[in-house]
Amino acid sequence: MSTSDTARPATLDAASLRELIDAGHAPRLLDVRTPAEFETSHIPGSYNVPLDLLKEHREELRNHLDEDVVLVCRSGARATQAEQALAGVGLPNLKVLNGGILAWQAANAPIKRGAPRWDLERQVRLVAGSIVLASVLGSVFVPQLKWVAGFIGAGLTFAAVTNTCAMGMMLGKLPYNRGASCDLDTIVGQLRETGGRA
């Protein structure tokens, strides 16, 4: 691992971010959750740039992000990955919202709400738990199914150790988790607009 991979990103707590916004010095807020999670609830003024799209197009996005940027996700893990990706293309002034949208909501800060949907972490727990349960029950009749449960357990362990989640990335690509404005051109257009905040 390189030093940049192990270095902890700069963080900003919910109270400090709220003070900046209230004082009229709001940084650019990039919410890297899925469009479905973003539509459910987000910080007013934030832009939705899903993590997979950000990683794939970080060079193009870098050209539209020259001021202070605060990255937001559910709890901070995906925002940290986004920070590493953007720092890798030389973008300065990056911070991660400490505790993510959960900390923002816990601070009773302003939130824009939409139709409620399950967040990605909850979807991963449902799918992984269902596969393990079905495998264990099925192994009564087909003993080799126990290895499916073991494979899922190994995948979850790897996800925890590496702070990544292949299942979460796959689930994030499902139509349920995608939104109408989830393409690069739409996002860049929103970033170019001076008053285009959500």
Side-chain angles (χ1 to χ4, degrees), residues 98-122:
N98 193 22
I101 197 79
L102 295 177
W104 184 260
Q105 290 172 321
N108 292 317
I111 200 91
K112 186 171 183 180
R113 295 195 183 276
R117 295 188 190 186
W118 283 18
D119 62 45
L120 203 54
E121 183 179 309
R122 187 175 181 190

Side-chain angles (χ1 to χ4, degrees), residues 2-136:
S2 70
T3 306
S4 63
D5 290 335
T6 58
R8 294 193 51 85
T11 60
L12 187 68
D13 62 43
S16 299
L17 176 57
R18 190 170 183 183
E19 286 174 16
L20 286 171
I21 293 170
D22 290 345
H25 303 293
R28 183 80 64 131
L29 300 173
L30 299 186
D31 191 319
V32 300
R33 297 174 299 152
T34 65
E37 291 173 292
F38 182 80
E39 289 168 10
T40 297
S41 65
H42 61 269
I43 299 171
S46 60
Y47 298 89
N48 186 217
V49 185
L51 180 59
D52 58 340
L53 189 136
L54 181 142
K55 285 181 171 180
E56 185 178 343
H57 299 285
R58 59 184 172 239
E59 296 277 349
E60 296 98 320
L61 291 168
R62 194 254 178 267
N63 297 328
H64 302 284
L65 300 170
D66 54 356
E67 66 268 16
D68 291 336
V69 174
V70 175
L71 299 155
V72 181
C73 68
R74 181 178 184 274
S75 61
R78 284 178 276 176
T80 299
Q81 292 177 43
E83 187 274 339
Q84 291 169 350
L86 291 173
V89 294
L91 189 65
N93 307 321
L94 295 167
K95 290 188 176 67
V96 170
L97 178 61
N98 193 22
I101 197 79
L102 295 177
W104 184 260
Q105 290 172 321
N108 292 317
I111 200 91
K112 186 171 183 180
R113 295 195 183 276
R117 295 188 190 186
W118 283 18
D119 62 45
L120 203 54
E121 183 179 309
R122 187 175 181 190
Q123 292 176 49
V124 168
R125 290 193 309 253
L126 173 69
V127 172
S130 298
I131 293 171
V132 169
L133 179 61
S135 300
V136 169

